[in-house]
């Protein structure tokens, strides 16, 4: 359900449409970029299979059309994004590599679309409106989902495309050991999985000595079941914007472009 058209704000820099592109669902809503609140109800459409650029662009068109939105659009994408172009595809269709995602979505919607990495977007939202609000120094947001995403911030400013989910851990790609999807696939308890997260996060801690970790992704809603098991020097806070962090961060990137 979307808000009635008459309730929609005019397109302006205090609002943008945020789209969060994930492996199973694509979500969108109009975001008040000054407060981080959603102005319309979030709409979710299952990620098409195969998740090729054309198929995904079609869903983005559906979301903005449903909301009658004609202003700037921000979209997250689970890959390295350099100047709008996807440079990796760990958990999405390989046909994305080298695709100008910005251009594909802008052409399909007829709107100005800004694309950025999904964890970078979630981090922008947490730094401005959530768990890292007002925190200076080095903040690292890690999202645990299908893969592991990362966003590094220095005094609130993003260092984009950090890809810490692909650090090598015990001879493996870290996300293949410690992503939330591994917990599900291997039917691990939070206690068992927390040991993997511990090994991973202490590795990240040794490399970056951050001032604060924010942990996000679907598992952040159960943070009390695993975050207290972690033994790190760095404080760890669960993400606060939960399901909306990507949408809000994407809209912020679009409004601030
Ligand atoms: C990708 C990242 C992404 C993360 C979370 C990783 O596999 O390489 O770009 O941020 O998954 O979706």
């Amino acid at each position: 359900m979307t808000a009635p058209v008459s309730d929609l704000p005019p397109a302006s820099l205090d609002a943008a449409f945020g789209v969060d592109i994930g492996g199973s669902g694509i979500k969108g809503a109009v975001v008040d970029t000054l407060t981080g609140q959603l102005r319309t109800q979030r709409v979710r459409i299952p990620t098409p299979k195969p998740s090729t650029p054309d198929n995904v662009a079609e869903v983005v068109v559906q979301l903005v059309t449903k909301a009658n939105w004609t202003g700037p659009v921000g979209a997250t994408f689970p890959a390295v994004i350099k100047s709008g172009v996807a440079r990796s595809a760990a958990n999405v269709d390989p046909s994305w590599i080298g695709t100008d995602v910005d251009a594909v979505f802008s052409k399909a919607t007829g709107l100005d679309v800004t694309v950025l990495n999904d964890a970078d977007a979630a981090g922008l939202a947490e730094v401005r409106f959530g768990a890292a609000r007002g925190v200076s120094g080095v903040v690292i947001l890690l999202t645990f989902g299908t893969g592991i995403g990362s966003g590094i911030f220095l005094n609130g400013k993003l260092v984009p495309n950090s890809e810490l989910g692909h650090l090598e851990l015990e001879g493996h790609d870290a996300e293949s050991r410690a992503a939330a999807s591994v917990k599900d696939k291997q039917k691990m308890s939070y206690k068992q999985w927390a040991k993997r997260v511990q090994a991973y996060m202490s590795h990240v801690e040794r490399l970056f000595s951050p001032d604060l970790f924010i942990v996000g992704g679907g598992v952040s809603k159960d943070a009390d079941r695993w975050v207290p098991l972690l033994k790190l020097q760095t404080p760890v806070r669960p993400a606060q914007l939960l399901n909306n962090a990507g949408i809000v961060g994407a809209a912020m990137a679009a409004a601030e472009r």
Side-chain angles (χ1 to χ4, degrees):
M1 265 265 302
T2 51
V5 174
S6 56
D7 286 349
L8 291 169
S12 73
L13 288 185
D14 65 5
F17 194 87
V19 181
D20 191 11
I21 300 176
S24 61
I26 303 182
K27 299 170 285 189
V30 177
V31 177
D32 182 319
T33 51
L34 301 181
T35 64
Q37 300 295 314
L38 303 193
R39 287 195 186 174
T40 57
Q41 221 159 3
R42 196 175 63 209
V43 174
R44 181 184 186 277
I45 297 179
T47 306
K49 288 195 176 68
S51 56
T52 54
D54 284 347
N55 291 348
V56 172
E58 179 48 41
V59 173
V60 175
V61 171
Q62 281 179 41
L63 288 172
V64 291
T65 311
K66 259 190 189 182
N68 256 308
W69 183 253
T70 55
V73 176
T76 72
F77 200 73
V80 170
I81 301 288
K82 293 283 279 181
S83 307
V85 179
R87 294 294 178 200
S88 68
N91 292 307
V92 286
D93 197 89
S95 59
W96 284 96
I97 297 181
T99 300
D100 189 334
V101 189
D102 235 285
V104 171
F105 292 172
S106 297
K107 184 160 178 257
T109 57
L111 302 174
D112 195 1
V113 184
T114 305
V115 181
L116 76 166
N117 172 265
D118 55 357
D120 285 350
L124 284 177
E126 292 293 337
V127 162
R128 180 76 58 84
F129 303 114
R133 192 176 178 162
V135 178
S136 54
V138 177
V139 173
I140 299 186
L141 168 122
L142 297 169
T143 60
F144 294 89
T146 309
I148 298 177
S150 62
I152 302 182
F153 292 81
L154 174 61
N155 296 330
K157 190 117 182 74
L158 172 67
V159 179
N161 294 311
S162 50
E163 293 291 319
L164 301 185
H166 299 294
L167 285 174
E168 187 182 313
L169 186 67
E170 295 157 358
H172 300 271
D173 188 17
E175 72 174 23
S176 73
R177 304 278 302 158
S181 60
V182 177
K183 171 186 177 299
D184 296 343
K185 247 179 260 152
Q186 300 188 8
K187 301 200 173 20
M188 297 165 103
S189 63
Y190 271 113
K191 200 172 159 197
Q192 289 167 323
W193 178 67
K195 290 190 183 135
R196 303 255 181 119
V197 177
Q198 169 71 38
Y200 172 62
M201 288 183 69
S202 53
H203 187 48
V204 175
E205 180 175 64
R206 271 195 300 278
L207 294 175
F208 293 94
S209 301
D211 296 290
L212 176 68
F213 276 125
I214 306 291
V215 289
V219 283
S220 59
K221 67 175 189 318
D222 292 332
D224 55 332
R225 297 178 61 188
W226 57 278
V227 172
L229 305 176
L230 302 174
K231 290 187 180 55
L232 297 157
Q233 312 285 330
T234 314
V236 182
R237 292 186 196 159
Q240 280 177 4
L241 281 90
L242 303 175
N243 259 332
N244 291 340
I247 294 178
V248 173
M252 284 167 61
E256 288 165 19
R257 180 149 114 156

